[in-house]
Amino acid sequence: MNRKIERQALPLLLAVLLVSAGIMPIASAIENEGAEIDFDQYSPPQLSIDSSIETIAIFEALSPQSEQRIMDGKTEGGIPFGSIVVHAADGITRVFDKDGNQLLSISDEKSGKMPTPAGVEKSCTRLHQLPNDSRVYHRGDQTFVLDAAGELILTVIDETTASGQNVAALEGRLGNDWVESAEDMPDSEITEYTAYWRVPSSPPSLESYQKIYLFNGIENTTGSKTYLLQPVLGYSGSTHQWEGQAWACHTNGDDSYYGPLFDTATGHTMRGRIYWANDLKLWSITIYDHTTGQYSSLSTDCIQPEVGYRVACVLEAWNIEDNTDVPGDTLFYDMEYKSYGTPMNIDLEPCYSSNFPREIMQYCWVEIIQNPSQVRLHTYN
């Protein structure tokens, strides 16, 4: 066995054993393992465009999977591992296999749009669900996604010049916003934010077009590359199920990446952790269900730590109309904020939306029980 591979394999094997024992996610176990990556080895092959392929619309995310099946515009088996996704300036997204042979031609405009927990609705061509512990590396107009074993599973090439061209606004609804939150913008670089909370009671009545998100998050709010890193607990009116998922979401038009979805339930204890591994130059985003041991995790270098990032614990909603659409109170507790291992001075302040009916907002109350470690987000329910 090659010595370099041997050194990497042993820590990974230990991580797998720890995960099997229910001790920790792989993302935490290997966050200090790794070396400089030569991205030249991942340079895409010559791409062969097949003009005979019909351009279709899709209604699910372009997510790498072990096999691919296309039925009625649905990528039911995802796209194959090793796929190369090219967003062209003509509004067509083309998918190639690892050898450069074209598989799909997809219209960005005609494809379905999906809401994201970063408050922006995106074309399915711009969304990618990844296996747990995947690592997302951004290099200019190319993005390389490696799995936990270091294998290249997805390449995304963005040839577009108009930022936000794939963002669409929901029409005929009340829109979306952070209903209530506790926030701060610290004057030093935050590199770790951990929070615990229990899954609250479900909204009494939620329609299929309505969504609820609860999370702790770190967001860079300036520049063209604005991202929100968030371990998300979500509730959808289409499934009536609490679900956990880790997100690294571009808040404008670029691609967003997220981990696998897992089911959870009222009363379960969640932990959301966002951590900058300085040796790897990667953010690790993990949501972990302490009750069941399930988790969702990914790592990314989409942004670097800087002064002035926003930190917040948040109740976000899409298209809610009355108090039957909101969950019960949520207590965020044992929240910790660090800058390269050193505890930070954080002064949380309550924030409220002005975009929802007064019927809802009059019962919302951000109770800062112990600043900045414990906050309760109150609702009518």
Side-chain angles (χ1 to χ4, degrees), residues 314-361:
V314 179
L315 167 62
E316 177 185 340
W318 283 70
N319 313 313
I320 60 173
E321 297 166 342
D322 56 44
N323 283 313
T324 66
D325 300 331
V326 296
D329 298 352
T330 304
L331 175 67
F332 287 88
Y333 63 96
D334 289 349
M335 291 194 287
E336 294 184 345
Y337 316 78
K338 295 181 180 179
S339 180
Y340 302 102
T342 302
M344 299 177 65
N345 292 321
I346 299 292
D347 184 20
L348 297 176
E349 296 185 356
C351 294
Y352 301 92
S353 173
S354 59
N355 296 324
F356 294 112
R358 184 177 182 277
E359 174 188 350
I360 295 173
M361 298 309 303

Side-chain angles (χ1 to χ4, degrees), residues 185-189 307-308 344-345:
M185 296 181 69
D187 56 7
S188 57
E189 297 175 1
V307 173
M344 299 177 65
N345 292 321

Side-chain angles (χ1 to χ4, degrees), residues 248-305:
C249 194
H250 190 270
T251 56
N252 289 312
D254 289 1
D255 294 62
S256 293
Y257 301 86
Y258 48 99
L261 199 67
F262 66 84
D263 291 347
T264 186
T266 297
H268 287 204
T269 298
M270 313 303 294
R271 180 186 68 202
R273 185 179 189 236
I274 309 159
Y275 172 79
W276 172 254
N278 198 43
D279 52 349
L280 297 181
K281 307 303 180 186
L282 286 173
W283 289 98
S284 172
I285 309 152
T286 304
I287 182 166
Y288 181 75
D289 186 332
H290 275 266
T291 306
T292 65
Q294 297 183 95
Y295 75 100
S296 178
S297 179
L298 79 156
S299 298
T300 178
D301 66 353
C302 58
I303 53 175
Q304 304 293 306

Side-chain angles (χ1 to χ4, degrees), residues 61-75:
L62 286 176
S63 303
Q65 304 284 344
S66 58
E67 60 180 283
Q68 171 218 6
R69 300 185 304 275
I70 304 296
M71 296 179 62
D72 298 326
K74 293 183 178 181
T75 52

